[in-house]
Amino acid sequence: MTDSLTTAETPIRMKGIGVSPGVVIGPVFVMASDQARVVERRVAPQSIDHEICRLEDALIETRRQIKMIQKDLEARTDMGDASILDAHLMVLDDRAFIEEVVNEIRNKYRNAESVVKEASDRYAAILGSVEDDYLRERVADIRDVARRIIKNLSGGVETTLADLKDKCIVIGEDIPPSVTASLRRDTVLGVATDLGSATSHTAVMARAMEMPAVVGLRDISARVSTGDKIVMDGTRGVVIIHPTASDLDEYGKLAEARKSIQQGLTSLQHKPAETKDGHRIVLSANAEGPEEVDAIIEYGAEGIGLFRSEYLYISRNASLGEDDQAEIYADIAERLAPAPVIIRTLDIGGDKFLAGGRFRKETNPFLGCRSIRLSLLYPDHFKRQLRAILRASVKGCVKIMYPMISNAREVIQANALLDEARDELTRDGVPFKKDIEVGVMIETPAAALTAAVIAKNVSFFSLGTNDLVQYTLAVDRVNERVAYLYEPTHPAVLKLIKATVDAGHAEGVWVGICGEMAADPLMTPLLIGMGVDEMSVAPAAVPVVKDVIRNIEQSRAETLTAAALKCKSATEVLGLCRDLTAEVAPELLELI
Ligand code: PEP
Ligand code: MG
């Protein structure tokens, strides 16, 4: 991808999707991407020598890496020598190629990445058209070497995120949840990506780690180089590359203002989530790991409404045995008791995969064998998790929740396996609570519309609106190109939420919501008016949501919801919600 020429230090303002709040200012570290997209940048005349040095360093590094791979190949295979990579080294030794690149940088003031890319594309095109098999095969070598040089120019393939020493903002085309999970708060100030959307699991992870993040920036990874300074506002989704002094001043003040609003909310920690007219909502937190328990207590959440158990695997990059899981769940339950901990069984698939590719690749992973479907396919593995949860139940108030249910049969099958798990523990004399509550996530339109049937088999529902919105509106939740269509206030979504709450209540089942929609304070009155009994949000969002709950009457919220259910568009609903929040908690608008 190419862009218009810009001078090296001209500020570049970009707008993406703010998915984890907070302002950060600092140098960037650009994560190398396999499909390196390269943007053309103008290099200031005084920086040309530096640009050529960068190129020379990258060529040396590339040679070193290829030699290392050759050595490794020789050691690991019986090839004797790894001469197949000699062709790669020949590309690096091709004086004509290198001189052409250097001249282009020097004469046209262009950045090395774009010149290497263009020159290699041109060589590849010429060789690809020649009637000679040997030469045609060299096309792949040229492309491979060029990709490696570009990677080395833009941060280096060898550096891993765990090795980062200095504070920086990590930039990447995409940063998968497994990598986000490995980021360290002491060195990583924030993350910004080309791809992604508000409910992608990368975003979920960043929020859980209270790490400011902006996603969906389209080509930021190609526009910045490691070491460039940026300002990033994870609340509004703004990134400024090469900020001016006045940008730095403005964002510094904004960060201060937001901090003081947040500090004002800390007084709510021990106050109940109760409306002005005395209606109590259970306000709990979403969590991805045991390390979040302290924050959950500190922010005043009433337990965990969604424990995304798959992150235990993702963050450890490994499968966990029954004993390991039981220990982790028991520790969390004990620390939060008597508050409840709802453990969601494994929700692997969609955009959450374990490193190492142990699962089959699918064309449509969000519609494929993910979540409960995967658990039912591997009953022994599933029962190990169920036994672990049951064992932890004696330490506190533990509940079980099945994800991505699309029909009652899945719940019945899962419950049958739960009974088997109970029988096995009883047989082995292992104690567990007999009356553990079991619930399901309502994340598919099918589940919402048949909630009355599903309710017969469970004691609670939790609306997973992140998925419910994507499945209802046919909008991939991680695709930034359709993010504008991802509208939680779409009338179709609101009708499904209302149908779920009403069906649950009619069957004596309590209804919560744990999708990101619950963490948006603009949505709080709407959800109270829908009649939800519980809201589960990222720990840091608890005070903000509690503030809205405490500043509104239930009757007022019900009036809003009744009006919203008559609206014709998502925008209209959003307008009503914004007006009401502006009235009851105007200071919060600064934080949104
Ligand atoms: C949801 O889909 O709303 C949800 C909470 O689950 P996850 O985001 O983990 O898919
Ligand atoms: Mg979900």
Side-chain angles (χ1 to χ4, degrees):
M1 181 184 288
T2 55
D3 244 26
S4 57
L5 289 172
T6 52
T7 52
E9 299 300 327
T10 307
I12 301 171
R13 287 158 213 284
M14 301 185 74
K15 179 85 177 78
I17 307 164
V19 295
S20 183
V23 171
V24 281
I25 298 171
V28 303
F29 171 82
V30 183
M31 253 179 70
S33 144
D34 274 344
Q35 300 98 34
R37 294 187 295 168
V38 177
V39 162
E40 187 171 319
R41 205 163 31 82
R42 182 180 151 80
V43 177
Q46 66 273 22
S47 305
I48 286 294
D49 286 342
H50 172 68
E51 194 65 12
I52 290 170
C53 279
R54 265 190 352 109
L55 173 71
E56 282 165 358
D57 287 348
L59 293 174
I60 292 168
E61 178 59 13
T62 304
R63 166 174 286 282
R64 189 190 69 76
Q65 288 167 2
I66 294 172
K67 286 270 188 202
M68 259 182 56
I69 297 169
Q70 270 190 327
K71 246 199 185 143
D72 188 49
L73 265 180
E74 280 167 13
R76 282 188 299 115
T77 66
D78 52 7
M79 283 169 55
D81 73 345
S83 53
I84 48 164
L85 287 178
D86 283 352
H88 285 56
L89 293 174
M90 274 160 61
V91 176
L92 284 174
D93 285 337
D94 185 338
R95 284 322 300 168
F97 175 71
I98 306 296
E99 266 166 33
E100 186 179 324
V101 172
V102 170
N103 288 342
E104 186 74 7
I105 295 173
R106 197 172 284 295
N107 300 334
K108 303 271 179 61
Y109 304 108
R110 293 174 56 192
N111 60 320
E113 288 92 335
S114 69
V115 178
V116 169
K117 174 88 172 63
E118 192 183 89
S120 64
D121 282 352
R122 194 167 48 250
Y123 272 59
I126 294 167
L127 289 181
S129 64
V130 172
E131 291 283 318
D132 178 315
D133 285 349
Y134 173 79
L135 288 178
R136 270 211 307 272
E137 277 166 24
R138 301 285 70 79
V139 171
D141 297 328
I142 290 180
R143 288 203 192 284
D144 218 18
V145 172
R147 195 159 44 228
R148 196 172 277 279
I149 299 170
I150 292 166
K151 270 182 178 177
N152 286 327
L153 278 165
S154 55
V157 274
E158 301 286 276
T159 318
T160 70
L161 293 173
D163 295 334
L164 291 176
K165 301 262 179 314
D166 301 321
K167 282 187 190 297
C168 64
I169 299 164
V170 173
I171 308 277
E173 185 180 15
D174 190 16
I175 305 180
S178 54
V179 177
T180 316
S182 72
L183 298 179
R184 291 189 8 226
R185 211 51 196 91
D186 52 342
T187 46
V188 180
L189 298 168
V191 293
T193 60
D194 298 347
L195 309 179
S197 67
T199 59
S200 61
H201 285 95
T202 299
V204 166
M205 208 57 215
R207 274 193 291 275
M209 296 166 80
E210 294 184 42
M211 183 179 280
V214 178
V215 301
L217 286 154
R218 290 165 190 271
D219 60 356
I220 185 161
S221 67
R223 284 176 170 245
V224 285
S225 305
T226 292
D228 283 351
K229 189 173 190 174
I230 70 166
V231 165
M232 186 180 90
D233 180 357
T235 307
R236 304 226 163 113
V238 172
V239 169
I240 306 173
I241 306 168
H242 308 310
T244 61
S246 95
D247 291 328
L248 295 175
D249 185 49
E250 180 191 335
Y251 279 89
K253 284 187 182 137
L254 185 62
E256 281 305 312
R258 291 209 189 124
K259 206 153 117 200
S260 93
I261 297 170
Q262 293 281 15
Q263 273 164 357
L265 296 176
T266 54
S267 63
L268 297 178
Q269 187 195 21
H270 298 296
K271 298 200 171 133
E274 187 173 287
T275 60
K276 282 167 99 174
D277 49 353
H279 176 67
R280 192 76 168 71
I281 302 279
V282 175
L283 183 53
S284 43
N286 293 349
E288 285 72 37
E291 54 286 344
E292 285 173 68
V293 170
D294 289 343
I296 288 167
I297 295 168
E298 188 192 321
Y299 284 114
E302 299 170 75
I304 295 180
L306 165 66
F307 184 78
R308 291 181 162 104
S309 65
E310 60 279 2
Y311 280 88
L312 295 178
Y313 289 58
I314 291 172
S315 59
R316 284 165 184 74
N317 208 354
S319 180
L320 288 179
E322 180 180 327
D323 290 348
D324 300 325
Q325 287 190 61
E327 204 176 300
I328 296 169
Y329 301 148
D331 167 58
I332 298 171
E334 204 165 15
R335 284 158 73 197
L336 287 170
V341 176
I342 301 179
I343 299 175
R344 174 176 76 182
T345 59
L346 275 196
D347 186 15
I348 292 289
D351 66 338
K352 283 176 291 192
F353 293 98
L354 306 180
R358 266 169 282 167
F359 294 97
R360 195 194 300 176
K361 276 222 177 329
E362 297 183 335
T363 322
N364 269 320
F366 274 116
L367 299 181
C369 192
R370 71 172 280 213
S371 219
I372 192 68
R373 300 170 184 181
L374 203 56
S375 292
L376 294 176
L377 197 63
Y378 295 100
D380 290 339
H381 197 284
F382 187 40
K383 272 199 292 177
R384 267 203 292 282
Q385 178 169 39
L386 295 173
R387 281 195 304 266
I389 302 173
L390 288 169
R391 283 165 59 180
S393 66
V394 292
K395 297 288 184 183
C397 177
V398 174
K399 305 179 190 198
I400 296 178
M401 177 156 75
Y402 307 134
M404 218 217 152
I405 293 299
S406 55
N407 60 54
R409 190 181 58 241
E410 289 169 328
V411 188
I412 294 166
Q413 283 172 352
N415 278 342
L417 290 167
L418 180 60
D419 281 339
E420 284 181 26
R422 286 189 179 107
D423 291 346
E424 288 161 9
L425 290 179
T426 307
R427 185 195 60 207
D428 297 343
V430 179
F432 62 92
K433 270 197 189 143
K434 304 277 178 282
D435 55 352
I436 192 165
E437 268 189 63
V438 176
V440 292
M441 295 194 67
I442 301 292
E443 315 188 78
T444 63
L449 295 171
T450 56
V453 185
I454 292 171
K456 307 269 188 231
N457 306 284
V458 294
S459 34
F460 67 91
F461 289 156
S462 187
L463 283 148
T465 48
N466 301 340
D467 278 313
L468 185 61
V469 172
Q470 88 161 338
Y471 293 131
T472 305
L473 305 181
V475 176
D476 181 349
R477 65 189 265 189
V478 296
N479 185 340
E480 80 292 348
R481 298 178 72 198
V482 289
Y484 70 100
L485 292 171
Y486 190 95
E487 298 176 304
T489 53
H490 190 295
V493 176
L494 299 195
K495 286 191 170 71
L496 290 174
I497 294 177
K498 187 74 174 110
T500 303
V501 175
D502 290 350
H505 287 172
E507 295 294 330
V509 157
W510 64 264
V511 185
I513 172 166
C514 60
E516 297 307 320
M517 188 177 180
D520 180 348
L522 293 185
M523 299 294 117
T524 309
L526 183 69
L527 297 172
I528 297 173
M530 289 278 183
V532 301
D533 305 289
E534 181 236 26
M535 296 183 197
S536 189
V537 303
V542 168
V544 186
V545 173
K546 195 187 275 186
D547 191 41
V548 181
I549 295 174
R550 291 179 59 82
N551 276 298
I552 194 168
E553 293 88 8
Q554 184 188 18
S555 51
R556 186 81 196 278
E558 283 170 351
T559 307
L560 169 86
T561 304
L565 285 165
K566 291 196 187 113
C567 286
K568 293 189 176 55
S569 73
T571 321
E572 207 182 325
V573 177
L574 203 56
L576 293 181
C577 294
R578 189 172 281 278
D579 290 348
L580 189 53
T581 306
E583 197 184 312
V584 301
E587 73 288 353
L588 295 187
L589 294 181
E590 194 59 49
L591 297 175
I592 297 167

